[in-house]
Amino acid sequence: MKQTSTKDVKFTTVFQKLANRLPVSDDTVSETALTILREVRKEGDRAVIRYTKKWDRLDITPATMRVSEKEIQAAYRDVPSDVVKSLRYAANRILAFHRRQKVSGWTILKDGVNLSQRVHPIERVGLYVPGGKAAYPSSVLMNAIPAKVAGCKEICICTPAQEGIINPATLVAADIVGISEIYRIGGVQAIGALAYGTKTIRPVYKIVGPGNQYVAAAKRLVFGQVDIDMIAGPSELVIVADENATPSYLASDLLSQAEHDEEAVVVLITPSETLVKNLLPEMKRQQENLPRKKIIAASLKKHGLIIITYDLAEAVGLANEIAPEHLSLFVKNPRRYLKQIVNASSVFLGEDTPQSLGDYIAGPNHVLPTGGTARFFSPLSVDDFIRKSSVTEYSRAALKKSGHHLIRIAEMEGLTAHANMVKIRVGS
């Protein structure tokens, strides 16, 4: 990991690169995604089948595109029972947390004016679940459960099945949350199918879930045709630590984020140089025993950073400027600093709260803003799966009482027909 200090003359340059890390869309990737989307929109199933064969080495037909109920139930035979039990435990925790987010409408009735706000679930949503070499049943739970709590009537899943294989844990997770509409397609063609629809797949109104750079580009391109959750970037972890932090805990948390992929961002901010000296050999020791140590090494070399600050107040201030996906406070009395944290997607208090709790079983959603977008975006929640509409009702007496205000404003804007809508009713 690179090291710097807020006293270094080059610190501002180094830090600004970190703070402004939001990746810029690659033109080549966007052009490829746009080409595939256009073909899916024009050709439907034929384009989906063609690109599935090209990218996933899988021959499918419209009849075999959807995973059968028999396949879903058969997946339980290939997933250890204790893993199924843990997935159910995680699902219940996530459900309990997201149920607290559910909102209802309201009504104001006064002086002949009836105003209300109605809350409606999005009727049909599509979940993109990454596949390939890794399995992410936790992503199924995190994306599907808030949609279920919101009351979405139809939820479908698209997930790649490279060479015909869908990880059985993904199918089990889908069954746990009650989703049976699953398609063995991934990539840009899946996003296109969800957005535009084909003869086999009906279009959805919102697409959620992470994917590679091509999937991210496709989601960006179909936004407006459908809604999307966010454009997910590389995983991030910032840890603010004091001199009392345990090096072995720190090392395990930093390495856990670095193992996501080579682009993961891992940052330690601390005023303690002694802590850093004790941490580095511990990280090296733990890294040697991890299967993904090559990915970790690449991540740490490219995006790993240790920042030495004057004190903890300065460290917290820098964390706010970074606005990370995950922020851990390895400090004495972490709640003392919590009120000062305003830009972080998910905050973990104390060294007994490893960040991976948030990935799996704590309950809050792990679909989080990255790249500094925590400054203005929120974690995936029930709110992402609802729409709001307003209802207005005036009595004739109420219209007469307040209509002259509307007439003045409309005439001032030159919209006399708007003013006449009131005049013709109240006779003025």
Side-chain angles (χ1 to χ4, degrees):
M1 296 176 73
K2 299 181 183 70
Q3 293 188 47
T4 186
S5 166
T6 53
K7 298 177 183 178
D8 292 347
V9 293
K10 295 183 179 180
F11 173 74
T12 300
T13 301
V14 173
F15 186 76
Q16 285 305 312
K17 182 179 179 181
L18 172 63
N20 300 317
R21 67 196 176 280
L22 187 65
V24 178
S25 179
D26 184 287
D27 289 342
T28 302
V29 171
S30 295
E31 289 169 6
T32 300
L34 182 59
T35 298
I36 297 172
L37 289 173
R38 283 173 174 166
E39 292 183 24
V40 171
R41 189 169 198 173
K42 182 180 179 180
E43 302 177 43
D45 284 340
R46 284 190 301 164
V48 171
I49 291 168
R50 184 168 63 251
Y51 281 108
T52 298
K53 182 175 182 178
K54 179 178 180 179
W55 300 119
D56 293 336
R57 301 174 298 281
L58 175 64
D59 285 309
I60 56 173
T61 67
T64 61
M65 197 177 293
R66 181 168 174 172
V67 177
S68 69
E69 182 64 33
K70 185 177 180 181
E71 289 176 273
I72 295 172
Q73 295 307 313
Y76 281 91
R77 295 198 297 265
D78 298 319
V79 179
S81 59
D82 56 346
V83 173
V84 175
K85 182 178 180 180
S86 294
L87 287 172
R88 293 188 187 280
Y89 174 84
N92 288 332
R93 297 281 299 177
I94 298 164
L95 179 63
F97 181 87
H98 288 80
R99 275 178 172 165
R100 300 295 294 270
Q101 296 176 339
K102 192 169 184 179
V103 296
S104 56
W106 46 261
T107 297
I108 299 174
L109 179 59
K110 185 177 181 180
D111 299 330
V113 178
N114 189 339
L115 305 176
S116 60
Q117 179 172 277
R118 303 172 70 201
V119 177
H120 317 266
I122 297 175
E123 293 179 353
R124 180 168 169 80
V125 298
L127 276 52
Y128 186 88
V129 179
K133 296 180 181 179
Y136 298 99
S138 60
S139 288
V140 176
L141 303 181
M142 292 291 183
N143 283 279
I145 288 173
K148 285 283 187 177
V149 172
C152 299
K153 291 181 180 178
E154 298 180 18
I155 305 172
C156 68
I157 289 175
C158 283
T159 186
Q162 291 188 356
E163 299 180 350
I165 299 172
I166 296 178
N167 191 288
T170 297
L171 297 179
V172 167
D175 188 64
I176 286 173
V177 294
I179 299 176
S180 59
E181 186 182 350
I182 304 170
Y183 300 96
R184 58 181 100 248
I185 61 171
V188 176
Q189 63 270 25
I191 301 301
L194 291 172
Y196 307 127
T198 71
K199 286 186 178 180
T200 302
I201 303 175
R202 291 190 301 107
V204 301
Y205 303 129
K206 182 159 189 168
I207 300 172
V208 302
N212 63 21
Q213 59 181 335
Y214 290 94
V215 169
K219 287 174 65 178
R220 185 182 286 110
L221 289 167
V222 299
F223 176 64
Q225 174 75 27
V226 294
D227 191 19
I228 62 172
D229 50 351
M230 63 186 77
I231 303 298
S235 191
E236 307 168 346
L237 172 64
V238 171
I239 299 181
V240 172
D242 62 18
E243 67 279 3
N244 298 310
T246 305
S248 61
Y249 296 173
L250 266 178
S252 68
D253 286 28
L254 293 168
L255 294 172
S256 75
Q257 281 302 299
E259 79 171 348
H260 273 282
D261 61 56
E262 293 85 350
E263 299 301 319
V265 177
V266 179
V267 180
L268 170 64
I269 311 177
T270 179
S272 175
E273 294 186 38
T274 301
L275 176 65
V276 174
K277 291 178 182 178
N278 293 331
L279 170 67
L280 294 177
E282 179 62 24
M283 288 187 69
K284 185 176 181 180
R285 184 188 69 80
Q286 290 189 27
Q287 184 177 339
E288 286 301 313
N289 298 318
L290 295 172
R292 295 168 70 90
K293 61 183 178 182
K294 289 184 178 179
I295 293 175
I296 292 170
S299 169
L300 295 178
K301 183 178 181 180
K302 191 172 184 180
H303 297 295
L305 183 63
I306 296 172
I307 302 174
I308 304 296
T309 61
Y310 177 74
D311 56 18
L312 279 178
E314 185 179 39
V316 170
L318 292 177
N320 273 324
E321 290 187 57
I322 296 170
E325 178 189 20
H326 306 101
L327 173 62
S328 292
L329 300 180
F330 279 38
V331 298
K332 185 179 180 180
N333 190 14
R335 285 197 166 273
R336 174 186 172 190
Y337 299 92
L338 182 59
K339 289 184 179 180
Q340 301 171 37
I341 302 298
V342 293
N343 293 327
S345 300
S346 189
V347 183
F348 301 85
L349 302 182
E351 59 179 26
D352 287 330
T353 311
Q355 178 272 317
S356 56
L357 285 170
D359 287 338
Y360 297 110
I361 65 169
N365 211 286
H366 78 196
V367 181
L368 304 168
T370 59
T373 59
R375 301 180 186 101
F376 48 85
F377 273 135
S378 302
L380 191 72
S381 71
V382 173
D383 290 342
D384 288 290
F385 296 96
I386 62 172
R387 303 158 292 133
K388 298 175 182 177
S389 61
S390 59
V391 178
T392 303
E393 182 182 19
Y394 270 60
S395 68
R396 181 58 59 86
L399 184 61
K400 286 183 177 180
K401 183 178 180 180
S402 61
H404 62 283
H405 293 296
L406 184 155
I407 292 169
R408 289 173 188 157
I409 297 171
E411 290 181 341
M412 179 270 295
E413 293 185 348
L415 299 177
T416 54
H418 283 66
N420 286 340
M421 291 170 68
V422 176
K423 288 180 178 182
I424 202 169
R425 286 169 169 80
V426 301
S428 59

